[in-house]
Amino acid sequence: MSKETKTRERSDRGPRSVDTRTERPAPQAQKERDRPWLMRTYAGHSTAEASNELYRRNLAKGQTGLSVAFDLPTQTGYDPDHVLARGEVGRVGVPVSHIGDMRRLFQDIPLEQMNTSMTINATAMWLLALYQVVAEEQGADLTELQGTTQNDIVKEYLSRGTHVFPPGPSLRLTTDMIAYTVSHMPRWNPINICSYHLQEAGATPVQEIAYAMSTAISVLDAVRDSGQVPPERMGDVVGRISFFVNAGVRFVEEMCKMRAFGRIWDRITRERYGIENPKHRRFRYGVQVNSLGLTEAQPENNVQRIVLEMLAVTLSKDARARAVQLPAWNEALGLPRPWDQQWSLRIQQVLAYESDLLEYGDLFEGSKVVEAKVDELVEASLAEMGRIEEMGGAMAAVESGYLKSQLVSSHAARRARIESGEEKIIGVNAFEGTEPNPLTADLDTAIQTVDPAVEARVVGALGRWRDTRYQPPFNHPRPCKALEALKEAAKGDGNLMEATLECARAGATTGEWAGALREVFGEYRAPTGVSSAPVAVPAEAGSALAGVRRKVEVTARDLGVGKLRFLVGKPGLDGHSNGAEQIAVRARDAGFEVVYQGIRLTPEQIVDAALAEDVHAVGLSILSGSHAQLVPDVLERLREAGAADIPVIAGGIIPNADAEQLRAAGVAAVFTPKDFDITGIIGRIVDEIRNANKLDPLEVPA
């Protein structure tokens, strides 16, 4: 509302009854305020140049730290011209392929004065090396560099899917980074233990605490046992371990969770590692509040969700986040625009600078309610940590599939509560009536779009880099020598950071660095947790699932097969597999034979599997925005193979305009986050199978 409008409204109400001669009370003396937390916005897209411009604009608006989003090829160790990078370049983050890209990303941003968080895991060592080299070129003192590399590979196996190497080599890369930074970059956080993504994968507060703490124990044990850090410096290691935590909308429980985290961390570091300095034992964490909990339906409601979730990690001084980044209200619709990110930044600034929150001590000290809840969370989390310890620790619990199956089960149970209405989501399964939303009146302009031509430009620039890196003005030595040295180091047991730095200086690319280590370490496909997940929604007589089961059985009989077969595919590099897993589990419970091979498949592999398994339908799940390229690719390959009659269903964060284009291309149905009724989705898939096979529509009473 403009200033003029406000003035006019005030005039319309008549004069205010104010005696202007009355003296105003003298203002109270300004209370001493705590320093606000670091305020960040998770950002990056298209190109290094475009992201650099965005960062400088955000800093000018009062953002106090950077949070770099890398695109999926960068996160998974592929160059933009790799077959798996198709449709993914610059979509969910910035592509960084070599030192030239990193220079452009931070041009005119003095790194010695910056606190930079980088969401990067499997390739964390590589990106930190590029960052260090750019800082050196700027003349920065490495001992003054501040920031964080996320670098928690366990949660990648469980929830986010940007892992590359097996657990053992991955833990070695993390250990080497920690040992290196303690000696050379003492103010840098070399790892960020992430429970954030665990919650998005379905973790309860107890699981979130227990799995994150078990991961931290695995990391600290590995550093201690590596011999790279003297025992007297373990305090320095512990003092640089940070955490990245999720905050959901149940903000009382979430606030108690943070206090429980701090209590358990203090106990572990004191008792297990003998850390006496309380500063080293402090639970240091940053937060992004829950992105996947934001809704596509009535997205304006996401603003109050974001505020409540922020309060959970800021209200309690004794458990306050050190850094906060908030998603934008429209993230369930697509990529936020700069204005949307500014709105989220302003939410933080209003709380920090306009309210009196930072003038007081802890608001919950002595609360019986809070203490009882914290005690409950601590006790249950320690018990679950004990079970993981008995299995051999977090890495063993990953490889056995235990952690993944537990998360899939918890997520399935939550989805069942939402579908039944037991857990209410405003605008989704409760209070669904709404006035027209002016924020989304034009959906095509309500989100940021990435120019499809960006990928070709980035690939072209990479080709020019490879062709000219040996010549002026670059004058890099041939990177082959540096890459061979990296492979030799990987075959031994020495620290890999120096060899990685040489690759960065030599002009090697992200794909070349990761490819060299793939040759030595191999790759890893994590357990999916689908086959071992228990039934979350029983098919009781008269239930919706019982009706769908009957439709599956009748359709299988009509087609003359024992069971309907359904392939769930994750094309491209999108590793957020939660939705795909829940569809796969519910389809299994509805009587389908489900083919699900996990993440990171090419369209060719998906079509080959569909033909080999003789499936009756293909479901494709993509959250990264690459649906516009990859889904039509699958359709075309099915047509070329003579299997155009297999219906293809697409799901993910798919804008309306894109959904229309997919349907026009031949997709049978498109589902987005607003479609929360999974049993209903499975029923619709059966309908599409019947339609594709020219069977009469089947109405089975639920």
Side-chain angles (χ1 to χ4, degrees), residues 137 293 400 404:
E137 292 175 350
S400 71
K404 183 64 174 179

Side-chain angles (χ1 to χ4, degrees), residues 242-562:
S242 66
F243 291 78
F244 187 60
V245 183
N246 205 328
V249 77
R250 292 170 56 83
F251 85 97
V252 175
E253 184 173 60
E254 294 293 274
M255 185 271 295
C256 292
K257 180 185 75 180
M258 302 321 308
R259 297 172 80 94
F261 254 129
R263 191 175 299 179
I264 292 174
W265 183 241
D266 185 81
R267 175 173 168 177
I268 289 170
T269 54
R270 187 179 65 254
E271 296 181 1
R272 189 179 184 104
Y273 303 105
I275 307 303
E276 297 297 333
N277 188 336
K279 289 185 178 179
H280 287 160
R281 297 200 310 268
R282 183 178 179 184
F283 182 70
R284 301 162 60 252
Y285 78 99
V287 167
Q288 162 132 347
V289 308
N290 196 332
S291 287
L292 288 188
L294 304 180
T295 62
E296 178 185 7
Q298 298 183 25
E300 65 275 12
N301 295 338
N302 294 328
V303 176
Q304 49 264 37
R305 291 186 180 107
I306 290 168
V307 171
L308 281 171
E309 291 164 352
M310 176 183 63
L311 290 176
V313 296
T314 54
L315 279 181
S316 174
K317 180 178 179 179
D318 291 348
R320 183 171 292 151
R322 297 279 291 268
V324 177
Q325 57 192 44
L326 303 181
W329 68 277
N330 56 347
E331 286 200 11
L333 305 176
L335 189 66
R337 301 158 299 187
W339 182 85
D340 307 310
Q341 294 185 329
Q342 174 184 295
W343 191 357
S344 291
L345 175 62
R346 296 293 184 248
I347 291 173
Q348 294 200 59
Q349 290 170 328
V350 168
L351 179 64
Y353 299 115
E354 291 190 27
S355 85
D356 58 351
L357 173 66
L358 298 179
E359 297 174 8
Y360 295 93
D362 194 274
L363 305 179
F364 301 99
E365 185 178 354
S367 166
K368 294 180 180 179
V369 172
V370 169
E371 283 303 308
K373 185 63 178 177
V374 172
D375 289 343
E376 174 192 322
L377 291 171
V378 168
E379 182 179 357
S381 299
L382 290 173
E384 179 66 5
M385 289 168 62
R387 281 188 283 273
I388 294 169
E389 185 86 3
E390 290 174 2
M391 295 176 192
M395 291 298 181
V398 166
E399 294 182 284
S400 71
Y402 170 77
L403 295 183
K404 183 64 174 179
S405 66
Q406 292 296 106
L407 291 178
V408 172
S409 300
S410 294
H411 198 183
R414 179 173 183 265
R415 296 292 310 191
R417 292 194 301 272
I418 293 172
E419 290 178 56
S420 70
E422 177 187 348
E423 186 169 323
K424 289 181 169 46
I425 310 294
I426 305 305
V428 175
N429 66 355
F431 309 109
E432 298 162 64
T434 180
E435 297 294 327
N437 183 351
L439 292 173
T440 57
D442 183 357
L443 280 174
D444 291 337
T445 61
I447 56 174
Q448 175 102 3
T449 57
V450 175
D451 183 353
V454 162
E455 184 166 321
R457 291 203 297 270
V458 171
V459 169
L462 174 64
R464 289 191 294 276
W465 174 265
R466 290 196 187 115
D467 291 341
T468 59
R469 58 186 166 182
Y470 320 122
Q471 305 163 11
F474 301 104
N475 292 322
H476 289 300
R478 251 186 115 72
C480 296
K481 184 177 180 181
L483 291 166
E484 287 301 319
L486 174 68
K487 285 191 279 188
E488 286 304 309
K491 292 172 185 175
D493 57 5
N495 192 299
L496 295 176
M497 190 67 191
E498 289 293 350
T500 296
L501 283 162
E502 285 308 304
C503 289
R505 296 183 180 111
T509 68
T510 298
E512 290 169 344
W513 177 86
L517 293 183
R518 279 183 167 101
E519 287 184 35
V520 179
F521 295 151
E523 293 192 71
Y524 186 68
R525 294 192 71 81
T528 68
V530 168
S531 60
S532 57
V535 174
V537 180
E540 297 172 348
S543 68
L545 186 58
V548 173
R549 280 188 70 97
R550 177 64 178 153
K551 290 175 71 169
V552 171
E553 292 166 2
V554 171
T555 303
R557 187 177 64 230
D558 289 348
L559 291 174
V561 297

Side-chain angles (χ1 to χ4, degrees), residues 39-56 58-59 63-72 74-75 90-97 101-107 109 111 114-121 123-124 127-128 130-131 134 146-151 155-156 160 162 188 192 194 197 244 288 323-325 335 341:
M39 299 181 191
R40 293 183 170 129
T41 303
Y42 184 52
H45 66 83
S46 301
T47 64
E49 292 86 349
S51 298
N52 172 265
E53 181 184 353
L54 179 62
Y55 296 161
R56 287 187 287 110
N58 286 346
L59 291 168
Q63 187 173 295
T64 52
L66 291 177
S67 182
V68 181
F70 295 100
D71 73 354
L72 290 175
T74 304
Q75 293 187 52
R91 285 282 178 184
V92 299
V94 57
V96 174
S97 302
D101 286 340
M102 193 64 107
R103 287 186 191 120
R104 287 188 289 273
L105 184 63
F106 292 110
Q107 186 173 342
I109 298 176
L111 297 185
M114 200 51 52
N115 191 305
T116 305
S117 171
M118 296 193 286
T119 299
I120 198 78
N121 295 279
T123 54
L127 270 297
L128 180 62
L130 294 176
Y131 189 89
V134 169
Q146 296 186 73
T148 303
T149 32
Q150 195 171 98
N151 199 19
K155 67 94 173 52
E156 297 301 324
R160 194 165 167 270
T162 67
W188 191 268
N192 196 299
C194 294
H197 306 90
F244 187 60
Q288 162 132 347
V324 177
Q325 57 192 44
L335 189 66
Q341 294 185 329

